Amino acid sequence: MNSNSSAYNLTATASHHEPLFSRRLLLLRDVQILELFIALFVFVTIHSLRQKKHQGMPVWPFLGMLPSLILAVRSNIYEWLSDILISRNGTFRFRGPWFSTLNCVVTCDPRNVEHILKTRFSIYPKGSYFRETMRDLLGDGIFNADEETWQRQRKTASVEFHSAKFRQLTSHSLHELVHNRLLPVLEISEKIDLQDVLLRLTFDNVCMIAFGVDPGCLSPNLPEIPFAKAFEDATEATAVRFVMPGFVWKLMRSLNLGTEKNLKESIKGVDYFAEEVIRTRKKELSLETETAKRSDLLTIFMGLRDDNGEKFSVKFLRDICVNFILAGRDTSSVVLSWFFWLVEKNPEVEEKIMVGICKILEQRDDHGDTKKNMEYEPVFRPDEIKKMDYLQAALSEALRLYPSVPVDHKEVLEDDVFPDGTKLKKGEKVIYAIYAMARMETIWGKDCCEFKPERWLRDGRYTSESAYKFTAFNGGPRLCLGKDFAYYQMKYVAATIIYRYRVSVKGGHKVEPKMALTMYMKHGLKVNMVKRSASEIDHYYC
């Protein structure tokens, strides 16, 4: 009896402890698996972080360098890119996620830039990746075209840009806009967003000289222009595509989500404006009025024929309009915004600009009477604008530090080797970082990050730099056609404002670049316009 009872108790005890024992075994196994995962994670993390020494940033399994790029997009991507290029002596390979379209070579070495833009120009087109990414906004316009499509547009635009009639038109329209619109707006607006005002000015200007229409964007009440906002939103949403795997933004586009939804809506506004401009011009031409005899870029392209002898479609004319708006509106206004910010931070530069302007005004032929030459509301003449060397140096320095287009893209058509020894495979994408070039001591010296107009002067005269060291206007066969006009426009506007006003940035206003196709200020440029007194202006004539 006792024996059986003891046996039963042992069996019962064993049965009672068996689940507990099993649970402990399972727990031990879970702990071992967890430890294994932790060990694997630590190993992968250490290995990925160690890649930073050799690659410029961590390289993660499957994701490549994408995590670092995402963090950079949330801050200042251009400074991030500059820091990496400085640490990698001017060139590095960006490795995107597996099977993505983000893999590319990034460079800011002037030797490589010259190789891309000039020496081997024929094998470095914009490429299919760039064209596909930009097509929804720019279509087949000059900035998104290659080969014959690009050549035809450039040749047509070149003839117009270099004509005496065009130069006369640009000079006249700029004078009208600055004195009849810009100055009245500044007169009644002590506190303004100067970037917004300058964007309105250049938008009206490019529309008047390129399409023969006046949108009236720069009016005293600063009316809201739907196209302007749509265009800015579209350029921002398009830029996001370049930091996103191709399959992701294409999926978002098909599902109409996020930035792709915004892009779709913005492009509707862009298309509406461009098509309205085309319809208006066609109507003027059909009526054969005096207005119809006016010559502008849009009218010239309307008169051309395609390879099949047909007139260009409305879609192609729309692409022409959008591309020239991007060229004429965003570039000059963006540079001027950064210029005024830099000048406000460097008052000694403002002093020298004022002295230079006054010296030129003193040379006006008023029978040597200095008092008569002391004009407080001068209208600058083209020959006077041309003489403003220090002002051009200051604008070039602003453009060097904050280029309108901070990065540009190419694609190599065959295996190649850069002058610095970097090997490229056929089809590989190449980015040359114009913003980063200004921050390379090997290019501009130890004072490369300083705003120093004097670096552009030789014996007091403005001297340009190599297009492959200062790439703000591109270089080689794609050198900007509007370079001379852009300088004239910027100098005219800058001289007119600085002579009359001191531009004071509002305290606490944050200034940083926005990630877009052009380098907008993310929060605009909120300023107080302080009118110069007559006595203050007189001081510069002494």
Side-chain angles (χ1 to χ4, degrees):
M1 177 78 176
N2 291 338
S3 175
N4 291 337
S5 177
S6 297
Y8 173 78
N9 288 338
L10 287 169
T11 305
T13 302
S15 299
H16 175 72
H17 287 289
E18 189 174 320
L20 181 61
F21 180 72
S22 298
R23 285 199 298 274
R24 285 177 177 173
L25 282 174
L26 288 171
L27 181 61
L28 181 61
R29 188 174 67 184
D30 290 343
V31 169
Q32 289 174 332
I33 293 172
L34 180 61
E35 287 177 342
L36 183 63
F37 273 113
I38 291 173
L40 183 62
F41 175 76
V42 170
F43 171 77
V44 169
T45 301
I46 292 173
H47 177 73
S48 298
L49 291 174
R50 287 178 67 182
Q51 295 297 308
K52 185 175 181 178
K53 183 178 179 181
H54 306 288
Q55 307 285 347
M57 69 187 85
V59 183
W60 301 92
F62 304 108
L63 297 175
M65 297 174 174
L66 184 62
S68 298
L69 179 61
I70 292 172
L71 291 174
V73 169
R74 297 170 67 89
S75 55
N76 187 334
I77 190 171
Y78 307 118
E79 284 294 331
W80 169 81
L81 195 60
S82 299
D83 290 342
I84 295 169
L85 285 164
I86 290 168
S87 69
R88 303 301 301 161
N89 296 319
T91 305
F92 79 98
R93 261 194 169 82
F94 182 86
R95 303 184 187 280
W98 290 5
F99 307 111
S100 77
T101 54
L102 291 181
N103 296 322
C104 61
V105 171
V106 186
T107 188
C108 66
D109 188 322
R111 297 171 299 168
N112 296 344
V113 173
E114 183 173 6
H115 185 83
I116 294 166
L117 299 181
K118 179 186 174 185
T119 310
R120 303 219 66 192
F121 170 78
S122 61
I123 69 164
Y124 285 95
K126 288 289 185 181
S128 57
Y129 169 76
F130 183 88
R131 291 197 305 273
E132 182 182 27
T133 306
M134 298 288 289
R135 180 161 279 123
D136 288 339
L137 175 61
L138 298 184
D140 294 315
I142 192 168
F143 290 119
N144 202 37
D146 282 321
E147 300 173 341
E148 290 182 11
T149 305
W150 166 73
Q151 289 174 354
R152 181 192 296 121
Q153 292 180 58
R154 184 176 175 87
K155 183 178 179 181
T156 303
S158 181
V159 171
E160 179 69 6
F161 270 62
H162 291 98
S163 69
K165 192 174 183 180
F166 178 82
R167 288 195 295 271
Q168 185 180 8
L169 174 64
T170 55
S171 178
H172 176 73
S173 65
L174 187 59
H175 169 268
E176 290 293 314
L177 282 169
V178 168
H179 290 277
N180 296 339
R181 298 191 192 179
L182 175 63
L183 290 179
V185 166
L186 298 181
E187 192 71 35
I188 62 173
S189 309
E190 284 187 12
K191 299 178 180 180
I192 58 170
D193 179 352
L194 189 56
Q195 178 176 252
D196 175 61
V197 171
L198 292 169
L199 281 165
R200 290 169 180 272
L201 170 72
T202 52
F203 178 53
D204 282 357
N205 199 22
V206 72
C207 287
M208 289 168 70
I209 63 177
F211 318 131
V213 298
D214 180 4
C217 195
L218 186 61
S219 302
N221 59 338
L222 298 180
E224 184 175 333
I225 305 295
F227 169 82
K229 186 176 188 314
F231 192 73
E232 287 173 29
D233 291 346
T235 61
E236 187 175 355
T238 300
V240 172
R241 287 181 171 182
F242 286 101
V243 296
M244 190 181 290
F247 71 90
V248 175
W249 67 257
K250 288 175 184 177
L251 179 62
M252 289 172 63
R253 182 175 63 181
S254 64
L255 297 175
N256 199 30
L257 297 173
T259 53
E260 288 300 312
K261 181 180 180 180
N262 296 339
L263 179 60
K264 184 178 179 181
E265 291 301 314
S266 301
I267 286 176
K268 286 181 182 177
V270 172
D271 289 350
Y272 176 81
F273 175 81
E275 288 164 7
E276 188 65 28
V277 167
I278 295 164
R279 276 195 296 270
T280 301
R281 192 68 187 118
K282 281 186 173 181
K283 185 177 180 180
E284 289 174 349
L285 290 170
S286 67
L287 294 174
E288 297 184 356
T289 60
E290 282 297 314
T291 312
K293 297 176 183 177
R294 183 189 63 235
S295 177
D296 53 65
L297 276 171
L298 178 59
T299 306
I300 290 170
F301 277 104
M302 281 180 170
L304 297 178
R305 306 273 173 168
D306 62 18
D307 294 335
N308 299 319
E310 302 289 332
K311 287 188 174 182
F312 286 123
S313 65
V314 171
K315 169 66 173 62
F316 183 75
L317 295 173
R318 171 264 181 211
D319 296 344
I320 298 291
C321 288
V322 172
N323 278 255
F324 279 100
I325 289 172
L326 178 65
R329 170 185 181 265
D330 285 21
T331 50
S332 296
S333 55
V334 164
V335 177
L336 282 167
S337 299
W338 289 106
F339 164 80
F340 281 112
W341 176 67
L342 287 164
V343 166
E344 197 258 0
K345 289 176 64 181
N346 297 269
E348 72 282 358
V349 171
E350 184 178 22
E351 291 280 314
K352 291 176 182 178
I353 291 172
M354 277 295 291
V355 168
I357 292 173
C358 292
K359 281 183 178 179
I360 290 168
L361 289 176
E362 281 182 322
Q363 296 171 12
R364 288 188 169 181
D365 186 13
D366 278 306
H367 308 291
D369 189 338
T370 304
K371 286 290 181 184
K372 285 185 179 180
N373 292 350
M374 285 186 185
E375 295 192 44
Y376 303 118
E377 297 291 335
V379 176
F380 296 111
R381 304 162 185 165
D383 62 306
E384 292 172 336
I385 294 294
K386 189 176 181 181
K387 294 176 185 176
M388 296 180 185
D389 289 287
Y390 191 84
L391 177 57
Q392 183 162 349
L395 285 163
S396 296
E397 186 69 347
L399 192 51
R400 181 185 73 85
L401 289 168
Y402 296 96
S404 304
V405 180
V407 296
D408 209 347
H409 302 70
K410 298 287 184 180
E411 188 174 309
V412 63
L413 296 181
E414 59 186 53
D415 291 357
D416 195 24
V417 181
F418 275 163
D420 71 356
T422 303
K423 295 180 180 178
L424 297 102
K425 293 290 185 183
K426 178 182 178 180
E428 197 161 12
K429 293 185 290 296
V430 177
I431 294 175
Y432 57 100
I434 304 166
Y435 181 92
M437 293 177 78
R439 286 144 184 85
M440 297 290 289
E441 290 186 5
T442 53
I443 302 174
W444 294 98
K446 291 190 179 296
D447 61 355
C448 59
C449 294
E450 296 178 22
F451 180 60
K452 189 177 176 182
E454 286 73 16
R455 75 175 83 244
W456 297 88
L457 299 171
R458 303 289 184 275
D459 299 322
R461 300 301 303 273
Y462 176 81
T463 305
S464 59
E465 287 283 0
S466 161
Y468 313 107
K469 177 181 176 181
F470 175 60
T471 321
F473 291 101
N474 219 315
R478 279 190 180 261
L479 181 68
C480 176
L481 288 171
K483 179 181 176 180
D484 292 339
F485 167 66
Y487 266 124
Y488 180 81
Q489 182 187 53
M490 291 189 295
K491 289 169 75 176
Y492 193 95
V493 173
T496 301
I497 293 177
I498 285 180
Y499 190 84
R500 291 165 173 80
Y501 294 93
R502 279 181 286 110
V503 179
S504 175
V505 179
K506 291 179 68 175
H509 177 63
K510 189 175 183 180
V511 174
E512 59 181 333
K514 177 193 284 189
M515 194 188 77
L517 298 180
T518 50
M519 191 170 275
Y520 295 116
M521 287 180 169
K522 192 173 185 178
H523 312 288
L525 184 61
K526 304 296 175 61
V527 301
N528 296 320
M529 303 298 294
V530 183
K531 184 78 172 177
R532 294 187 191 274
S533 65
S535 60
E536 183 181 354
I537 294 174
D538 289 347
H539 165 75
Y540 292 102
Y541 284 96
C542 296

